Amino acid sequence: MQVSNPNNIKIYNLSSGKSLPEFITDKKKRSLQKKDVDLRRRIELIQDFGMPTVSTTVKMSPDGQYIFATGTYKPRVRCYDVNHLSVKFERCLDSEAVAFDILSEDYSKLVFLLSNRTIELHTQQGRHYSVRMPKFGRDLCYHPANCDLMLVGAGSEIYRLNLDQGRFLKSYATSSPELNCVTINPEHHLVVVGGVDGRVECWDPRSRQAVGVLDCSGSIQHCVTDDVIPKVTCLKYKGPLNLAVGTSTGQVMLYDIRSNRPYVVKDHRYELPINSIAFNDDNGIVISSDSRAVKLWKENTGEAVTAVEMESDINNMYVVDNSGLFFLANESPKIHSYFIPMLGPAPKWCSFLDNITEEMEENPVQEIYDDYKFLTQKEVQTLGLSNLVGTSLLRAYMHGYFIDIRLYHKAMAVANPFAYKEYRKQKIEEKVEEARANRVHVKKLPKVNRHLADRLMTRAADEELKSGKKKKMKREAANLLDDPRFKSMFEDPNFQVDEESEEFKLLNPVVSKQFEKTKAKEEKLAQFPKIQVGEDSDHGSHDESDDFASSDEEDKKWVKEAKKSKQKGKSAPQRPPVDQQQKKKMSKPQIFHLKDDVDPGKPFTFQDLDKLGCEEANRKREAKKSATLEERVRESEKRGGISRLVHSDLTSGGKQATFRMNKVTKESVRKDQEKEHRDERRRIRRPASKLKTTKRKNSFFK
């Protein structure tokens, strides 16, 4: 239930909140109500109180037991029983209903004026009879004294259909070109019609003559122009003498039928046609509605009391007699129900509304306004608005004041002119922080127990990659590093874990192996900055190929400088001196053994050298395959592959050899392969470098 408080008058919207579709089962409805708080708190005054698309009119039977509503689509009428608060029956119509009236005290006799000029009479069983009128109808009214049904429409005549005789009687001819509405006073039976020319005519059914004409346009001269003349769109009697007239320009005029001047004129100021008018006799209030709002105002003075506005257009309004409940048929599927306790109590069939409203008034809900800003006394002084205290611009509330949000923004702009710059700076900092979050974060390890912290962080990261979400292990690792109880464990050197001790290795064998690998990596990384050109990274021995490479680079540089000098006509620069050790190695003779199928007269190329190296490697591989077990065992002893070889005599007189193989790791195999590869390179690349250098010398000095 939505509660509003315009002008300090409580208005309860009984139709607000979510609605459930009709096609779902009761079990599904119960489950949705358990999950959704709004569905539990909503009040469904009448079940399925609405239309599929649009509701056009709504009325209540004279006995107050049935509510009738018409709408589309398809055109239909629904009857609701207030004793059961649900639908009693539903009937579809051939065309859209323009207006309808209830001929009996209950639902047994109804009459409908349809948009296709058809008049339909319904009984309890359904449609009883239909007849067409000469012109398109706009309104109807039933005169029970003589059983005449008064019909008005796109013509100047008042058509009379006598339901006792079952035929049309002679119609009343009016002075208006077209008629919009008709009503009958229940006390003196005076028939009143309103026309498009702004005139109201009164007819006496006993004499069948016009007894008076009232020109309403003369009372609202400010709305009359050459092009626009206010039309009479609504009529409503109050007692035998008072008449309310609604116009198409949004004015409501109250007349005493003995006078041609209204005693009260109320303007809705929307310039929209008035479609419904009702009176509340107990409080002297008039309730009038147009397509946008329902306004309540005092009958004697026209002073506004309160108003109800809707998002969708209002088509019709009906106020329940002697109560504060009224219904609004509108351009939406739901027929809205409103309850205003000031107008009167709730009807007997929904007396629980009084209890609900009383409980809500006892437990008021704090209201928060979107267009107001709450300021404390200190904030008012900071903004320099202390001079407004006591005026209508600052409304005192609890320990502060409510101020209009527009005035607050202006005061902020004056008090702090650099607020936008600060806001912009703050936004830039937020963007920078977001960009920093996407960068690669380097793990910051503590000085004490670095390996333990590294293991905790690595395990947490691995678990997160495997599961795709943060698990308990990661939370534990983060808590252990951030927990102040374990802070000393990573800061105090007295808590350093000795991972090389025997006790640690026995308790954590896997961790100790991992520690050895990590330590080996760190030692290897520590060697990289110390490596110089010409040194071997693994053995620290001087590689001869690097010497030749450096000398080759010096020769290249000297050749380029000599070419430039020759082009400029200058003398060639002096050749760089050769180191004595390098000169000694270069002068050392190299002997190569050629195979029988190699032609000595044929030029020797680098491909031939590579072929020789490959054949040498294949020869060694074949020799290993053809070696006996004894030879392979001796070779393994030399390399350290066999730790122990034991010879023993058997009881049968034979001999037995028992040996245990050392564990060969991938690292040792890789190192052996690299060593063999370097040896081959030394044997092959040394003469190649000599040949290359000699060739370049000859080609330059030729």
Side-chain angles (χ1 to χ4, degrees):
M1 182 189 298
Q2 183 180 359
V3 184
S4 58
N5 192 17
N7 205 13
N8 295 326
I9 294 176
K10 297 281 187 180
I11 299 176
Y12 298 90
N13 185 359
L14 308 178
S15 304
S16 64
K18 298 180 180 179
S19 59
L20 294 173
E22 301 178 6
F23 54 83
I24 63 174
T25 61
D26 295 339
K27 185 178 180 181
K28 185 67 174 176
K29 287 182 181 179
R30 288 193 296 270
S31 64
L32 289 174
Q33 289 175 355
K34 290 179 181 178
K35 296 177 182 177
D36 199 331
V37 180
D38 295 337
L39 288 175
R40 288 201 304 269
R41 292 181 178 177
R42 72 189 179 99
I43 295 177
E44 192 174 12
L45 185 62
I46 301 174
Q47 187 178 4
D48 300 332
F49 193 46
M51 288 289 161
T53 307
V54 174
S55 55
T56 55
T57 54
V58 59
K59 282 185 181 181
M60 202 166 188
S61 62
D63 60 358
Q65 299 297 317
Y66 303 97
I67 301 172
F68 298 91
T70 60
T72 56
Y73 178 83
K74 300 178 179 179
R76 67 190 67 201
V77 58
R78 283 181 177 177
C79 177
Y80 299 90
D81 190 347
V82 297
N83 294 323
H84 299 91
L85 298 177
S86 61
V87 179
K88 185 173 182 63
F89 65 83
E90 179 181 1
R91 296 173 187 170
C92 288
L93 305 173
D94 294 338
S95 185
E96 190 174 335
V98 177
F100 75 97
D101 202 356
I102 303 166
L103 305 179
S104 62
E105 293 292 323
D106 54 4
Y107 68 93
S108 58
K109 294 178 183 179
L110 303 171
V111 59
F112 295 93
L113 176 62
L114 306 183
S115 59
N116 60 352
R117 294 193 298 153
T118 303
I119 303 168
E120 285 192 2
L121 298 170
H122 285 237
T123 61
Q124 294 180 358
Q125 292 78 18
R127 186 173 63 178
H128 176 70
Y129 186 75
S130 63
V131 62
R132 300 192 72 182
M133 62 181 294
K135 300 290 181 69
F136 287 97
R138 295 176 182 173
D139 197 8
L140 58 83
C141 186
Y142 180 62
H143 187 199
N146 56 7
C147 297
D148 282 348
L149 184 65
M150 305 294 180
L151 303 165
V152 296
S156 61
E157 298 179 342
I158 303 174
Y159 299 100
R160 297 190 299 154
L161 176 62
N162 189 277
L163 301 182
D164 184 23
Q165 302 177 22
R167 65 186 181 93
F168 280 99
L169 301 179
K170 185 180 178 181
S171 58
Y172 300 153
T174 63
S175 60
S176 299
E178 293 182 2
L179 302 176
N180 288 330
C181 52
V182 59
T183 186
I184 299 176
N185 191 297
E187 296 190 16
H188 50 66
H189 307 296
L190 197 64
V191 180
V192 181
V193 293
V196 296
D197 57 352
R199 293 183 178 183
V200 176
E201 292 191 19
C202 299
W203 287 73
D204 189 352
R206 295 170 296 180
S207 63
R208 293 185 289 277
Q209 292 180 357
V211 295
V213 178
L214 184 64
D215 188 4
C216 298
S217 60
S219 303
I220 45 175
Q221 290 293 336
H222 64 282
C223 298
V224 180
T225 61
D226 296 336
D227 299 331
V228 178
I229 298 177
K231 304 174 184 178
V232 178
T233 57
C234 184
L235 296 170
K236 183 66 178 180
Y237 263 115
K238 182 195 175 185
L241 299 177
N242 295 326
L243 176 66
V245 179
T247 64
S248 60
T249 53
Q251 289 83 27
V252 179
M253 295 168 285
L254 299 183
Y255 285 92
D256 189 324
I257 60 174
R258 296 170 293 184
S259 172
N260 60 355
R261 291 184 180 180
Y263 61 88
V264 172
V265 177
K266 176 64 178 177
D267 193 352
H268 277 214
R269 300 187 182 279
Y270 291 136
E271 297 184 358
L272 298 173
I274 304 297
N275 51 41
S276 300
I277 300 174
F279 290 93
N280 185 266
D281 298 334
D282 297 336
N283 299 284
I285 292 176
V286 181
I287 308 169
S288 57
S289 69
D290 54 22
S291 59
R292 183 172 180 179
V294 177
K295 293 202 173 185
L296 286 74
W297 44 281
K298 292 183 180 180
E299 181 182 352
N300 297 327
T301 61
E303 182 184 352
V305 177
T306 187
V308 178
E309 294 187 358
M310 289 185 57
E311 295 180 359
S312 55
D313 293 342
I314 301 171
N315 294 326
N316 185 251
M317 178 190 67
Y318 182 81
V319 180
V320 180
D321 295 338
N322 302 321
S323 73
L325 182 68
F326 60 92
F327 307 117
L328 297 178
N330 55 89
E331 295 288 327
S332 66
K334 190 182 295 184
I335 299 175
H336 288 255
S337 306
Y338 288 88
F339 179 58
I340 303 177
M342 185 203 69
L343 298 178
K348 292 182 179 179
W349 50 272
C350 59
S351 58
F352 57 86
L353 288 177
D354 292 328
N355 300 330
I356 294 174
T357 54
E358 288 176 3
E359 290 177 1
M360 294 182 71
E361 288 178 359
E362 291 175 0
N363 302 317
V365 181
Q366 183 179 357
E367 295 182 356
I368 302 299
Y369 304 100
D370 293 335
D371 52 350
Y372 282 87
K373 173 75 174 177
F374 181 79
L375 298 177
T376 62
Q377 184 70 32
K378 186 176 180 181
E379 291 174 343
V380 170
Q381 295 176 359
T382 304
L383 294 175
L385 301 176
S386 302
N387 57 333
L388 299 179
V389 176
T391 64
S392 59
L393 298 176
L394 286 179
R395 296 179 180 270
Y397 183 78
M398 295 179 66
H399 61 284
Y401 302 92
F402 272 116
I403 185 174
D404 192 281
I405 193 68
R406 294 169 294 179
L407 180 59
Y408 171 74
H409 288 320
K410 291 180 180 179
M412 282 291 294
V414 174
N416 190 6
F418 302 103
Y420 175 73
K421 292 183 178 179
E422 294 177 359
Y423 171 77
R424 186 171 179 271
K425 184 178 179 181
Q426 181 182 357
K427 285 294 181 183
I428 292 172
E429 290 178 356
E430 291 177 0
K431 292 289 184 183
V432 171
E433 290 297 330
E434 290 179 1
R436 285 176 181 171
N438 298 329
R439 295 178 182 175
V440 178
H441 296 281
V442 180
K443 288 193 295 186
K444 295 182 179 179
L445 298 176
K447 296 180 180 179
V448 182
N449 291 326
R450 295 173 59 88
H451 298 292
L452 176 60
D454 189 17
R455 285 200 304 273
L456 290 173
M457 297 173 70
T458 306
R459 286 173 61 191
D462 293 342
E463 288 295 328
E464 184 181 359
L465 290 174
K466 289 179 182 178
S467 60
K469 56 184 178 180
K470 296 181 180 178
K471 284 201 168 184
K472 187 177 180 182
M473 185 175 293
K474 184 174 181 180
R475 291 198 299 271
E476 290 177 354
N479 292 338
L480 189 61
L481 293 172
D482 300 335
D483 198 331
R485 296 175 297 173
F486 303 99
K487 188 177 181 181
S488 301
M489 185 177 176
F490 300 100
E491 293 181 356
D492 193 351
N494 295 327
F495 289 96
Q496 177 68 44
V497 178
D498 187 6
E499 298 184 354
E500 296 183 359
S501 63
E502 293 294 332
E503 293 82 0
F504 182 81
K505 291 181 179 180
L506 290 174
L507 293 173
N508 304 287
V510 179
V511 176
S512 61
K513 289 182 180 179
Q514 183 68 24
F515 170 70
E516 291 176 0
K517 292 182 180 179
T518 308
K519 190 175 180 181
K521 283 184 181 179
E522 292 177 354
E523 291 176 355
K524 191 172 182 181
L525 290 173
Q527 294 176 2
F528 279 111
K530 299 177 183 179
I531 295 175
Q532 310 253 342
V533 178
E535 291 184 355
D536 188 63
S537 60
D538 291 336
H539 302 283
S541 61
H542 194 70
D543 195 350
E544 298 172 1
S545 60
D546 295 337
D547 293 333
F548 289 110
S550 60
S551 63
D552 193 15
E553 290 177 1
E554 292 176 358
D555 290 341
K556 287 181 181 179
K557 187 176 180 181
W558 176 75
V559 168
K560 287 182 180 179
E561 292 177 357
K563 283 184 178 180
K564 289 180 182 179
S565 302
K566 188 176 181 180
Q567 290 175 359
K568 293 179 181 180
K570 298 180 181 180
S571 60
Q574 188 177 0
R575 187 181 181 86
V578 183
D579 190 16
Q580 294 294 332
Q581 187 177 0
Q582 186 177 353
K583 186 176 181 182
K584 185 178 179 181
K585 290 180 179 178
M586 291 174 64
S587 61
K588 187 177 180 180
Q590 299 290 331
I591 300 173
F592 295 94
H593 300 278
L594 300 178
K595 295 178 70 175
D596 297 336
D597 55 350
V598 176
D599 187 5
K602 186 178 179 181
F604 202 68
T605 61
F606 294 108
Q607 287 80 4
D608 297 331
L609 290 174
D610 295 336
K611 193 182 294 182
L612 287 174
C614 295
E615 290 177 356
E616 182 68 20
N618 292 333
R619 185 182 63 76
K620 288 184 177 181
R621 207 174 289 113
E622 291 295 333
K624 285 183 180 180
K625 289 182 180 179
S626 60
T628 60
L629 177 62
E630 184 179 0
E631 293 174 351
R632 280 183 284 172
V633 169
R634 289 176 181 172
E635 185 68 22
S636 298
E637 286 179 350
K638 292 178 182 179
R639 294 187 178 184
I642 297 176
S643 61
R644 186 174 59 185
L645 182 63
V646 180
H647 297 274
S648 60
D649 297 332
L650 297 176
T651 55
S652 59
K655 296 288 185 179
Q656 179 180 352
T658 306
F659 57 88
R660 185 177 66 186
M661 300 295 292
N662 284 338
K663 187 175 181 181
V664 181
T665 61
K666 293 182 179 180
E667 189 71 21
S668 61
V669 173
R670 186 180 63 79
K671 288 182 178 180
D672 293 341
Q673 292 177 354
E674 289 179 356
K675 185 177 180 181
E676 292 179 1
H677 181 63
R678 283 194 295 271
D679 293 341
E680 291 178 1
R681 287 179 62 188
R682 289 193 189 98
R683 289 194 300 271
I684 295 172
R685 290 183 61 184
R686 186 183 301 167
S689 300
K690 287 184 179 181
L691 289 172
K692 190 174 180 182
T693 306
T694 308
K695 185 178 179 182
R696 286 184 178 175
K697 287 180 184 179
N698 297 336
S699 62
F700 181 77
F701 291 104
K702 223 170 193 180

